[in-house]
Amino acid sequence: MDEGTMNGTFLNGKRLSVQKVISERFELSHLDELRIGSTTLQLHIHANHDTCKWCEPGLNLPETEKPVATTISEPPTLYKQRSKETNRLKRKYKLMGSG
């Protein structure tokens, strides 16, 4: 929600409200781009402790491999594979929570 700022807040390139008018609330999704003034943030919203390949530390992707927006409700195949492997390793090393 934009609180009526001069420069505005943009979600995926669309201004949330006109200048100096408070906007309505908007739902944010994984890989949305939020621009506040001159600062742009790419949002990474993950279920549990999972990550996507763009969140992995030290991984620099060329411009041609920039992420494509997806929703958590229908994760891409790579996300499913990573989640399966993470859970397998947690079971193997007994890292699963007991509660």
Side-chain angles (χ1 to χ4, degrees):
M1 174 170 49
D2 183 89
E3 292 286 332
T5 60
M6 285 284 286
N7 295 325
T9 302
F10 295 78
L11 181 59
N12 298 320
K14 289 183 157 185
R15 190 176 182 130
L16 298 184
S17 70
V18 296
Q19 197 174 44
K20 296 187 178 180
V21 174
I22 295 175
S23 74
E24 61 183 85
R25 290 179 180 262
F26 287 86
E27 186 172 328
L28 303 174
S29 299
H30 183 61
L31 298 180
D32 277 349
E33 286 193 354
L34 184 64
R35 184 163 51 104
I36 304 166
S38 62
T39 302
T40 301
L41 306 168
Q42 184 177 61
L43 307 177
H44 289 263
I45 302 169
H46 301 284
N48 303 315
H49 296 287
D50 295 332
T51 62
C52 63
K53 72 178 185 177
W54 300 282
C55 291
E56 293 299 319
L59 181 63
N60 293 312
L61 296 173
E63 285 295 317
T64 56
E65 291 188 43
K66 289 296 179 189
V68 176
T70 59
T71 60
I72 295 300
S73 59
E74 293 187 52
T77 304
L78 180 62
Y79 180 84
K80 287 179 184 177
Q81 290 172 342
R82 183 183 302 258
S83 182
K84 264 183 153 175
E85 180 63 11
T86 299
N87 288 333
R88 185 188 71 76
L89 291 171
K90 284 179 180 178
R91 283 190 300 277
K92 179 178 178 178
Y93 294 104
K94 295 177 178 43
L95 299 173
M96 300 299 277
S98 58

